[in-house]
Amino acid sequence: MPIRIAVLVSGHSRGSNMQAIIDACRRGEIDGQVVLVIGTRSEAPALQRARESRVHTRVISPRNLSEEEYAQRLLHALEEAKVDLVCLAGYMRLLPAAVVQAYAGRVMNIHPALLPLFGGKGMYGERVHQAVLETGMKVSGCTVHFVDEQYDTGPIIVQRCVPVEEEDTWETLAARVLVQEHQAYVQAVKLFAEGRLRIEGRRVRILPPKS
Ligand code: GAR
């Protein structure tokens, strides 16, 4: 059975990682289907993109809601859509603990750096790449990881590296990392759909293909 995937995005998400997952499902590279995209604001470019790709979208805004109410609305939407896997893609909030617990081992996130470096609250987009440049790193990259109840600390599934070039600005570095993000996220979701990811403490073991 193809897995049923939901993607969660924030208000300013472009939706390029979401699109990479949708496209890989449609190509048959991932044995799955993106059945729902949930955004925090209706004007999010990612939601617009999802609509253009004819994927079902919902807006669930955490504004004026308690953490518990927000969690309940997310859970209701995910359960109604019979979701197997939740992919955060440019989702800039901490996912409510009730959702993490209900979908333990079934929520992934992508981060534009080599975790555990350059992660944590407030570390997203430009700030991440600026920090990499300021630190003088010679490599950067991206990380797909399972989500736990804190920012960017869950077990790592896939990482990909890129060089930091002498002339890099945060924009050129971000663009180089983004190419790898799309591939890394598709790879991680594909492995999940194939039942090949096993969480063992802090590590994720990648099992051989089933014959
Ligand atoms: C991506 O670069 C992703 O790694 C980053 O937001 C961007 C979303 O782009 N996420 C974080 O920084 C999370 N801390 P997209 O909307 O084009 O996929």
Side-chain angles (χ1 to χ4, degrees), residues 177-192:
V177 170
L178 190 65
V179 173
Q180 297 304 315
E181 288 188 42
H182 299 159
Q183 295 181 19
Y185 220 162
V186 166
Q187 184 186 359
V189 175
K190 179 177 164 66
L191 287 167
F192 182 93

Side-chain angles (χ1 to χ4, degrees), residues 22 42 52 74 78 103 106 112 114 122 124 138 141 165 198:
I22 292 171
S42 62
E52 284 163 13
L74 286 175
L78 295 172
Y103 285 82
R106 297 192 294 149
L114 294 172
Y124 51 83
K138 299 297 188 192
E165 307 286 2
R198 189 194 296 155

Side-chain angles (χ1 to χ4, degrees), residues 54-208:
R54 299 176 314 285
V55 174
H56 184 54
T57 62
R58 284 180 84 146
V59 177
I60 302 178
S61 169
R63 284 186 74 186
N64 306 322
L65 293 182
S66 69
E67 178 82 351
E68 199 183 325
E69 285 167 332
Y70 179 52
Q72 286 313 314
R73 288 194 194 187
L74 286 175
L75 283 171
H76 183 257
L78 295 172
E79 281 158 18
E80 198 175 65
K82 298 189 169 53
V83 164
D84 300 303
L85 175 68
V86 180
C87 294
L88 311 186
Y91 180 79
M92 303 307 181
R93 308 174 52 84
L94 200 57
L95 192 65
V99 180
V100 176
Q101 285 158 16
Y103 285 82
R106 297 192 294 149
V107 186
M108 293 182 183
N109 178 47
I110 182 127
H111 186 76
L114 294 172
L115 292 174
L117 299 174
F118 309 108
K121 187 170 166 51
M123 286 300 274
Y124 51 83
E126 174 180 348
R127 288 194 208 163
V128 174
H129 302 294
Q130 288 284 20
V132 169
L133 291 174
E134 279 162 23
T135 316
M137 295 283 291
K138 299 297 188 192
V139 292
S140 188
C142 62
T143 304
V144 183
H145 62 94
F146 283 116
V147 170
D148 62 14
E149 292 177 28
Q150 295 163 52
Y151 280 102
D152 302 326
T153 55
I156 292 168
I157 304 164
V158 173
Q159 289 188 306
R160 288 186 175 223
C161 291
V162 300
V164 177
E165 307 286 2
E166 296 298 328
E167 307 304 327
D168 265 337
T169 61
W170 78 264
E171 290 98 333
T172 58
L173 178 57
R176 193 176 307 119
V177 170
L178 190 65
V179 173
Q180 297 304 315
E181 288 188 42
H182 299 159
Q183 295 181 19
Y185 220 162
V186 166
Q187 184 186 359
V189 175
K190 179 177 164 66
L191 287 167
F192 182 93
E194 292 171 351
R196 292 176 56 199
L197 298 178
R198 189 194 296 155
I199 302 173
E200 296 178 352
R202 302 264 339 128
R203 298 186 69 172
V204 177
R205 182 183 294 276
I206 297 179
L207 304 174

Side-chain angles (χ1 to χ4, degrees), residues 12-37:
H12 296 288
S13 299
R14 287 166 301 204
S16 72
N17 279 290
M18 171 203 75
Q19 192 75 55
I21 296 169
I22 292 171
D23 292 347
C25 289
R26 291 190 174 162
R27 283 197 303 272
E29 190 176 338
I30 295 171
D31 188 17
Q33 186 191 356
V34 177
V35 293
L36 179 62
V37 176

